[in-house]
Amino acid sequence: MTKTEKKLDNSIVKALTTACETIKIGIAGFTWLTHFSNYRDFPESFIVICIFDTNTELTSAQEARDDVDILNTIKNELQAEGVKIKNIHKHVSFDTEENCRLEDNGNWNKRFKRL
């Protein structure tokens, strides 16, 4: 990782940590998030995965339009760190602990490899 890529990664981690803590306080069922990127192909390769505990909680959040709040929180925190993402919708997806348990025996590494 180059010095520039490391600086970008540090900014992203800081922004997403803040976003995660904010989202956990305000949205029921949200548990954590993670991100992946090939910084040589940034921002096209950038993806954030937001994890809820259950499918019911994710569905409830989507019905209440909390997913829009999540996207805005992530985008705003990234911007505050100087990371600009044009269309955040293309870079954020949602999943659940429940799906990981059912489909991948709780193995997130296995699940993420299918991205």
Side-chain angles (χ1 to χ4, degrees):
M1 187 178 286
T2 68
K3 195 173 184 180
T4 302
E5 291 168 346
K6 185 65 176 165
K7 184 177 177 183
L8 176 58
D9 184 61
N10 287 340
S11 295
I12 289 170
V13 168
K14 183 176 179 185
L16 292 180
T17 299
T18 302
C20 183
E21 293 307 314
T22 300
I23 297 164
K24 282 183 357 186
I25 291 168
I27 299 178
F30 177 86
T31 55
W32 57 284
L33 60 77
T34 192
H35 76 285
F36 300 96
S37 186
N38 173 352
Y39 289 109
R40 293 186 181 108
D41 188 28
F42 187 86
E44 288 76 18
S45 66
F46 180 64
I47 185 164
V48 177
I49 304 170
C50 298
I51 310 299
F52 280 76
D53 190 35
T54 67
N55 291 328
T56 300
E57 289 167 325
L58 174 56
T59 299
S60 293
Q62 290 170 325
E63 288 172 353
R65 305 286 293 154
D66 289 337
D67 54 333
V68 174
D69 291 337
I70 291 170
L71 294 172
N72 288 332
T73 299
I74 291 170
K75 183 175 183 175
N76 291 339
E77 292 300 332
L78 288 168
Q79 285 179 337
E81 290 299 319
V83 180
K84 296 194 182 353
I85 304 292
K86 284 185 182 181
N87 186 354
I88 196 70
H89 298 84
K90 290 174 40 178
H91 299 278
V92 178
S93 64
F94 297 88
D95 205 347
T96 66
E97 293 279 357
E98 180 180 355
N99 283 340
C100 185
R101 282 189 300 273
L102 292 171
E103 298 169 12
D104 296 292
N105 296 318
N107 185 335
W108 281 104
N109 288 329
K110 179 180 174 186
R111 190 166 186 81
F112 291 146
K113 285 180 182 175
R114 291 197 316 256
L115 292 177

